[in-house]
Amino acid sequence: MKKTLLLAGVASLFAFNAQALDVKPYVGVDYVYSKADLVSDDFDDQWNAYAVSVGTKLNKNFGVEAFYQETDDAEKSIAVPALSSVAKTEASYKAYGVDFIGYLPVDCNEKLELLGSVGLAQYDVESKTRLGALSESSDEDGLGLRFGAGAQYNFNEHLAARAMIRYSDIDVEGVDKVVDLTAGVRYTF
């Protein structure tokens, strides 16, 4: 009997906390334009990317979101006059991590919200240089602290459009920072 009462009490506590948080899980897809501050001018510093995310809005002002982002291969050709040749470089990166998001409704219907975020991401930067038959590759990875600001428009309780700008200070050799401009949609369950 005591175990039953204890389990009932614990279940009630979890139910109460779940109602207090008003958890609203969602999935998202974004187009991302990335620009990096690179140490070397030998590589293109702009990428197109996609990002997918899963998250939950814990209440009307706070949420957490996990993401995965992958860029295309940015290619660049560099003249090498001493060899009368052209070197070709390409670079790309993948990132995954978590963002903590603050929501600030700006209208009484809560259709439009201003967003602020802070997060942590793991970056994997791959680069390759080809000169004729010679080829050199590099694969560097490191952590990055991300800060973001943006806006979200909620069409209804399930569908929203979001635009954000994010600044990432990353610990990867050859890359100082990355700035992402994102636009996408969120579907809330």
Side-chain angles (χ1 to χ4, degrees), residues 51-75:
V52 293
S53 57
V54 294
T56 186
K57 197 169 178 182
L58 300 172
N59 61 38
K60 76 176 197 172
N61 296 110
F62 182 72
V64 63
E65 181 174 290
F67 73 93
Y68 174 79
Q69 179 174 322
E70 188 170 329
T71 68
D72 61 356
D73 288 331
E75 298 177 354

PDB file of all heavy atoms in Angstrom, residues 51-75:
ATOM      1  N   ALA A  51      19.887  22.960 -42.380  1.00  0.00           N
ATOM      2  CA  ALA A  51      19.925  22.567 -40.972  1.00  0.00           C
ATOM      3  C   ALA A  51      18.589  21.936 -40.618  1.00  0.00           C
ATOM      4  O   ALA A  51      17.536  22.384 -41.096  1.00  0.00           O
ATOM      5  CB  ALA A  51      20.182  23.766 -40.075  1.00  0.00           C
ATOM      6  N   VAL A  52      18.634  20.900 -39.824  1.00  0.00           N
ATOM      7  CA  VAL A  52      17.425  20.286 -39.275  1.00  0.00           C
ATOM      8  C   VAL A  52      17.517  20.403 -37.760  1.00  0.00           C
ATOM      9  O   VAL A  52      18.617  20.380 -37.185  1.00  0.00           O
ATOM     10  CB  VAL A  52      17.260  18.816 -39.713  1.00  0.00           C
ATOM     11  CG1 VAL A  52      17.001  18.728 -41.203  1.00  0.00           C
ATOM     12  CG2 VAL A  52      18.458  17.979 -39.347  1.00  0.00           C
ATOM     13  N   SER A  53      16.373  20.547 -37.133  1.00  0.00           N
ATOM     14  CA  SER A  53      16.379  20.718 -35.683  1.00  0.00           C
ATOM     15  C   SER A  53      15.166  20.045 -35.052  1.00  0.00           C
ATOM     16  O   SER A  53      14.132  19.877 -35.695  1.00  0.00           O
ATOM     17  CB  SER A  53      16.388  22.205 -35.325  1.00  0.00           C
ATOM     18  OG  SER A  53      15.288  22.860 -35.903  1.00  0.00           O
ATOM     19  N   VAL A  54      15.345  19.667 -33.820  1.00  0.00           N
ATOM     20  CA  VAL A  54      14.251  19.195 -32.975  1.00  0.00           C
ATOM     21  C   VAL A  54      14.367  19.967 -31.677  1.00  0.00           C
ATOM     22  O   VAL A  54      15.471  20.215 -31.188  1.00  0.00           O
ATOM     23  CB  VAL A  54      14.288  17.673 -32.712  1.00  0.00           C
ATOM     24  CG1 VAL A  54      14.055  16.896 -33.978  1.00  0.00           C
ATOM     25  CG2 VAL A  54      15.588  17.251 -32.069  1.00  0.00           C
ATOM     26  N   GLY A  55      13.235  20.375 -31.156  1.00  0.00           N
ATOM     27  CA  GLY A  55      13.278  21.159 -29.940  1.00  0.00           C
ATOM     28  C   GLY A  55      11.977  21.105 -29.208  1.00  0.00           C
ATOM     29  O   GLY A  55      11.023  20.434 -29.620  1.00  0.00           O
ATOM     30  N   THR A  56      11.948  21.829 -28.135  1.00  0.00           N
ATOM     31  CA  THR A  56      10.714  21.952 -27.378  1.00  0.00           C
ATOM     32  C   THR A  56      10.659  23.337 -26.756  1.00  0.00           C
ATOM     33  O   THR A  56      11.672  23.878 -26.308  1.00  0.00           O
ATOM     34  CB  THR A  56      10.591  20.858 -26.297  1.00  0.00           C
ATOM     35  OG1 THR A  56       9.314  20.959 -25.694  1.00  0.00           O
ATOM     36  CG2 THR A  56      11.665  20.971 -25.246  1.00  0.00           C
ATOM     37  N   LYS A  57       9.488  23.886 -26.803  1.00  0.00           N
ATOM     38  CA  LYS A  57       9.230  25.148 -26.130  1.00  0.00           C
ATOM     39  C   LYS A  57       8.694  24.765 -24.756  1.00  0.00           C
ATOM     40  O   LYS A  57       7.662  24.111 -24.637  1.00  0.00           O
ATOM     41  CB  LYS A  57       8.218  25.964 -26.933  1.00  0.00           C
ATOM     42  CG  LYS A  57       8.173  27.393 -26.588  1.00  0.00           C
ATOM     43  CD  LYS A  57       7.359  28.166 -27.613  1.00  0.00           C
ATOM     44  CE  LYS A  57       7.272  29.615 -27.227  1.00  0.00           C
ATOM     45  NZ  LYS A  57       6.451  30.366 -28.169  1.00  0.00           N
ATOM     46  N   LEU A  58       9.427  25.117 -23.709  1.00  0.00           N
ATOM     47  CA  LEU A  58       9.075  24.695 -22.354  1.00  0.00           C
ATOM     48  C   LEU A  58       7.990  25.564 -21.733  1.00  0.00           C
ATOM     49  O   LEU A  58       7.226  25.105 -20.894  1.00  0.00           O
ATOM     50  CB  LEU A  58      10.319  24.683 -21.477  1.00  0.00           C
ATOM     51  CG  LEU A  58      11.423  23.730 -21.965  1.00  0.00           C
ATOM     52  CD1 LEU A  58      12.688  23.918 -21.160  1.00  0.00           C
ATOM     53  CD2 LEU A  58      10.946  22.295 -21.910  1.00  0.00           C
ATOM     54  N   ASN A  59       7.944  26.811 -22.128  1.00  0.00           N
ATOM     55  CA  ASN A  59       6.865  27.724 -21.755  1.00  0.00           C
ATOM     56  C   ASN A  59       6.868  28.836 -22.795  1.00  0.00           C
ATOM     57  O   ASN A  59       7.593  28.751 -23.782  1.00  0.00           O
ATOM     58  CB  ASN A  59       7.008  28.239 -20.312  1.00  0.00           C
ATOM     59  CG  ASN A  59       8.292  29.013 -20.075  1.00  0.00           C
ATOM     60  OD1 ASN A  59       8.741  29.771 -20.930  1.00  0.00           O
ATOM     61  ND2 ASN A  59       8.896  28.827 -18.912  1.00  0.00           N
ATOM     62  N   LYS A  60       6.090  29.888 -22.589  1.00  0.00           N
ATOM     63  CA  LYS A  60       6.002  30.902 -23.653  1.00  0.00           C
ATOM     64  C   LYS A  60       7.279  31.714 -23.834  1.00  0.00           C
ATOM     65  O   LYS A  60       7.433  32.395 -24.837  1.00  0.00           O
ATOM     66  CB  LYS A  60       4.806  31.814 -23.441  1.00  0.00           C
ATOM     67  CG  LYS A  60       4.960  32.837 -22.367  1.00  0.00           C
ATOM     68  CD  LYS A  60       3.746  33.737 -22.337  1.00  0.00           C
ATOM     69  CE  LYS A  60       4.038  34.989 -21.567  1.00  0.00           C
ATOM     70  NZ  LYS A  60       2.981  35.970 -21.670  1.00  0.00           N
ATOM     71  N   ASN A  61       8.238  31.632 -22.884  1.00  0.00           N
ATOM     72  CA  ASN A  61       9.445  32.438 -22.991  1.00  0.00           C
ATOM     73  C   ASN A  61      10.756  31.666 -23.071  1.00  0.00           C
ATOM     74  O   ASN A  61      11.811  32.269 -23.175  1.00  0.00           O
ATOM     75  CB  ASN A  61       9.538  33.393 -21.796  1.00  0.00           C
ATOM     76  CG  ASN A  61       8.418  34.392 -21.779  1.00  0.00           C
ATOM     77  OD1 ASN A  61       7.550  34.328 -20.932  1.00  0.00           O
ATOM     78  ND2 ASN A  61       8.399  35.295 -22.735  1.00  0.00           N
ATOM     79  N   PHE A  62      10.717  30.335 -23.024  1.00  0.00           N
ATOM     80  CA  PHE A  62      11.968  29.592 -23.005  1.00  0.00           C
ATOM     81  C   PHE A  62      11.827  28.253 -23.728  1.00  0.00           C
ATOM     82  O   PHE A  62      10.815  27.579 -23.604  1.00  0.00           O
ATOM     83  CB  PHE A  62      12.424  29.350 -21.563  1.00  0.00           C
ATOM     84  CG  PHE A  62      13.738  28.642 -21.463  1.00  0.00           C
ATOM     85  CD1 PHE A  62      14.920  29.291 -21.779  1.00  0.00           C
ATOM     86  CD2 PHE A  62      13.795  27.320 -21.089  1.00  0.00           C
ATOM     87  CE1 PHE A  62      16.145  28.638 -21.708  1.00  0.00           C
ATOM     88  CE2 PHE A  62      15.008  26.650 -21.008  1.00  0.00           C
ATOM     89  CZ  PHE A  62      16.179  27.315 -21.316  1.00  0.00           C
ATOM     90  N   GLY A  63      12.884  27.881 -24.469  1.00  0.00           N
ATOM     91  CA  GLY A  63      12.917  26.595 -25.150  1.00  0.00           C
ATOM     92  C   GLY A  63      14.342  26.113 -25.342  1.00  0.00           C
ATOM     93  O   GLY A  63      15.305  26.840 -25.085  1.00  0.00           O
ATOM     94  N   VAL A  64      14.464  24.878 -25.786  1.00  0.00           N
ATOM     95  CA  VAL A  64      15.766  24.281 -26.064  1.00  0.00           C
ATOM     96  C   VAL A  64      15.659  23.539 -27.390  1.00  0.00           C
ATOM     97  O   VAL A  64      14.604  22.969 -27.711  1.00  0.00           O
ATOM     98  CB  VAL A  64      16.218  23.361 -24.897  1.00  0.00           C
ATOM     99  CG1 VAL A  64      15.279  22.200 -24.708  1.00  0.00           C
ATOM    100  CG2 VAL A  64      17.642  22.901 -25.085  1.00  0.00           C
ATOM    101  N   GLU A  65      16.737  23.587 -28.188  1.00  0.00           N
ATOM    102  CA  GLU A  65      16.703  23.030 -29.539  1.00  0.00           C
ATOM    103  C   GLU A  65      18.038  22.363 -29.859  1.00  0.00           C
ATOM    104  O   GLU A  65      19.090  22.939 -29.631  1.00  0.00           O
ATOM    105  CB  GLU A  65      16.436  24.178 -30.522  1.00  0.00           C
ATOM    106  CG  GLU A  65      16.348  23.797 -31.952  1.00  0.00           C
ATOM    107  CD  GLU A  65      15.944  24.976 -32.826  1.00  0.00           C
ATOM    108  OE1 GLU A  65      14.778  25.413 -32.740  1.00  0.00           O
ATOM    109  OE2 GLU A  65      16.802  25.476 -33.576  1.00  0.00           O
ATOM    110  N   ALA A  66      17.977  21.133 -30.377  1.00  0.00           N
ATOM    111  CA  ALA A  66      19.169  20.439 -30.880  1.00  0.00           C
ATOM    112  C   ALA A  66      19.155  20.563 -32.401  1.00  0.00           C
ATOM    113  O   ALA A  66      18.094  20.535 -33.023  1.00  0.00           O
ATOM    114  CB  ALA A  66      19.148  18.977 -30.458  1.00  0.00           C
ATOM    115  N   PHE A  67      20.328  20.690 -33.021  1.00  0.00           N
ATOM    116  CA  PHE A  67      20.386  20.893 -34.470  1.00  0.00           C
ATOM    117  C   PHE A  67      21.541  20.106 -35.090  1.00  0.00           C
ATOM    118  O   PHE A  67      22.504  19.728 -34.431  1.00  0.00           O
ATOM    119  CB  PHE A  67      20.551  22.381 -34.809  1.00  0.00           C
ATOM    120  CG  PHE A  67      21.930  22.896 -34.509  1.00  0.00           C
ATOM    121  CD1 PHE A  67      22.909  22.911 -35.484  1.00  0.00           C
ATOM    122  CD2 PHE A  67      22.260  23.340 -33.238  1.00  0.00           C
ATOM    123  CE1 PHE A  67      24.187  23.351 -35.201  1.00  0.00           C
ATOM    124  CE2 PHE A  67      23.532  23.794 -32.950  1.00  0.00           C
ATOM    125  CZ  PHE A  67      24.493  23.799 -33.931  1.00  0.00           C
ATOM    126  N   TYR A  68      21.398  19.900 -36.406  1.00  0.00           N
ATOM    127  CA  TYR A  68      22.472  19.360 -37.244  1.00  0.00           C
ATOM    128  C   TYR A  68      22.505  20.231 -38.493  1.00  0.00           C
ATOM    129  O   TYR A  68      21.467  20.509 -39.102  1.00  0.00           O
ATOM    130  CB  TYR A  68      22.208  17.904 -37.629  1.00  0.00           C
ATOM    131  CG  TYR A  68      23.228  17.372 -38.605  1.00  0.00           C
ATOM    132  CD1 TYR A  68      24.480  16.966 -38.177  1.00  0.00           C
ATOM    133  CD2 TYR A  68      22.951  17.323 -39.970  1.00  0.00           C
ATOM    134  CE1 TYR A  68      25.432  16.501 -39.078  1.00  0.00           C
ATOM    135  CE2 TYR A  68      23.888  16.857 -40.876  1.00  0.00           C
ATOM    136  CZ  TYR A  68      25.120  16.451 -40.425  1.00  0.00           C
ATOM    137  OH  TYR A  68      26.065  15.998 -41.317  1.00  0.00           O
ATOM    138  N   GLN A  69      23.697  20.666 -38.899  1.00  0.00           N
ATOM    139  CA  GLN A  69      23.859  21.555 -40.054  1.00  0.00           C
ATOM    140  C   GLN A  69      24.980  21.023 -40.931  1.00  0.00           C
ATOM    141  O   GLN A  69      26.017  20.592 -40.433  1.00  0.00           O
ATOM    142  CB  GLN A  69      24.200  22.954 -39.544  1.00  0.00           C
ATOM    143  CG  GLN A  69      24.415  23.985 -40.611  1.00  0.00           C
ATOM    144  CD  GLN A  69      24.607  25.359 -39.989  1.00  0.00           C
ATOM    145  OE1 GLN A  69      23.968  25.718 -39.015  1.00  0.00           O
ATOM    146  NE2 GLN A  69      25.511  26.127 -40.566  1.00  0.00           N
ATOM    147  N   GLU A  70      24.775  21.073 -42.253  1.00  0.00           N
ATOM    148  CA  GLU A  70      25.794  20.607 -43.200  1.00  0.00           C
ATOM    149  C   GLU A  70      25.836  21.546 -44.395  1.00  0.00           C
ATOM    150  O   GLU A  70      24.803  21.887 -44.965  1.00  0.00           O
ATOM    151  CB  GLU A  70      25.475  19.188 -43.652  1.00  0.00           C
ATOM    152  CG  GLU A  70      26.558  18.563 -44.468  1.00  0.00           C
ATOM    153  CD  GLU A  70      26.326  17.075 -44.711  1.00  0.00           C
ATOM    154  OE1 GLU A  70      25.731  16.398 -43.869  1.00  0.00           O
ATOM    155  OE2 GLU A  70      26.767  16.611 -45.783  1.00  0.00           O
ATOM    156  N   THR A  71      27.054  21.957 -44.781  1.00  0.00           N
ATOM    157  CA  THR A  71      27.214  22.884 -45.904  1.00  0.00           C
ATOM    158  C   THR A  71      27.546  22.130 -47.189  1.00  0.00           C
ATOM    159  O   THR A  71      27.922  20.960 -47.161  1.00  0.00           O
ATOM    160  CB  THR A  71      28.359  23.885 -45.643  1.00  0.00           C
ATOM    161  OG1 THR A  71      29.603  23.180 -45.646  1.00  0.00           O
ATOM    162  CG2 THR A  71      28.173  24.615 -44.336  1.00  0.00           C
ATOM    163  N   ASP A  72      27.441  22.851 -48.293  1.00  0.00           N
ATOM    164  CA  ASP A  72      27.928  22.325 -49.561  1.00  0.00           C
ATOM    165  C   ASP A  72      29.445  22.509 -49.612  1.00  0.00           C
ATOM    166  O   ASP A  72      30.038  23.055 -48.688  1.00  0.00           O
ATOM    167  CB  ASP A  72      27.249  23.026 -50.741  1.00  0.00           C
ATOM    168  CG  ASP A  72      27.521  24.534 -50.773  1.00  0.00           C
ATOM    169  OD1 ASP A  72      28.180  25.068 -49.851  1.00  0.00           O
ATOM    170  OD2 ASP A  72      27.061  25.189 -51.722  1.00  0.00           O
ATOM    171  N   ASP A  73      30.079  22.039 -50.667  1.00  0.00           N
ATOM    172  CA  ASP A  73      31.518  22.249 -50.863  1.00  0.00           C
ATOM    173  C   ASP A  73      31.725  23.597 -51.544  1.00  0.00           C
ATOM    174  O   ASP A  73      31.282  23.799 -52.668  1.00  0.00           O
ATOM    175  CB  ASP A  73      32.126  21.146 -51.737  1.00  0.00           C
ATOM    176  CG  ASP A  73      32.222  19.821 -51.022  1.00  0.00           C
ATOM    177  OD1 ASP A  73      32.355  19.832 -49.789  1.00  0.00           O
ATOM    178  OD2 ASP A  73      32.160  18.779 -51.692  1.00  0.00           O
ATOM    179  N   ALA A  74      32.361  24.522 -50.845  1.00  0.00           N
ATOM    180  CA  ALA A  74      32.692  25.811 -51.437  1.00  0.00           C
ATOM    181  C   ALA A  74      34.018  25.659 -52.173  1.00  0.00           C
ATOM    182  O   ALA A  74      35.019  25.265 -51.584  1.00  0.00           O
ATOM    183  CB  ALA A  74      32.803  26.875 -50.350  1.00  0.00           C
ATOM    184  N   GLU A  75      34.008  25.946 -53.475  1.00  0.00           N
ATOM    185  CA  GLU A  75      35.201  25.739 -54.300  1.00  0.00           C
ATOM    186  C   GLU A  75      35.799  27.074 -54.732  1.00  0.00           C
ATOM    187  O   GLU A  75      35.090  28.054 -54.920  1.00  0.00           O
ATOM    188  CB  GLU A  75      34.833  24.912 -55.528  1.00  0.00           C
ATOM    189  CG  GLU A  75      34.311  23.536 -55.167  1.00  0.00           C
ATOM    190  CD  GLU A  75      33.875  22.724 -56.374  1.00  0.00           C
ATOM    191  OE1 GLU A  75      33.876  23.264 -57.505  1.00  0.00           O
ATOM    192  OE2 GLU A  75      33.531  21.554 -56.183  1.00  0.00           O
TER     193      GLU A  75
END
